[in-house]
Amino acid sequence: MSPDSVTLAPPRSADELNRAIRALWSHPAVPLTDGQREEYARLCAELAAVQQRGVAAA
């Protein structure tokens, strides 16, 4: 598959990312699984990138 044929999803907003981060925890006393911690790290990195773009645009 060529790079031209890959459809990229539009970047998610900070609100969407925050909701996804909060949704990882079913209860504050319940620890995250390894997979959830990996997803949390990905979401935090994506959120940081969104926030950085917002600062650059301001």
Side-chain angles (χ1 to χ4, degrees):
M1 185 183 304
S2 72
D4 294 335
S5 64
V6 175
T7 303
L8 298 176
R12 293 187 275 186
S13 71
D15 286 338
E16 290 173 302
L17 292 164
N18 278 318
R19 280 193 298 273
I21 290 168
R22 286 191 303 271
L24 286 174
W25 278 276
S26 60
H27 188 276
V30 178
L32 296 178
T33 65
D34 290 342
Q36 288 170 320
R37 281 194 296 275
E38 290 171 7
E39 177 66 9
Y40 175 77
R42 282 190 295 273
L43 289 167
C44 286
E46 189 176 346
L47 179 59
V50 167
Q51 290 171 333
Q52 216 168 23
R53 281 194 305 270
V55 170

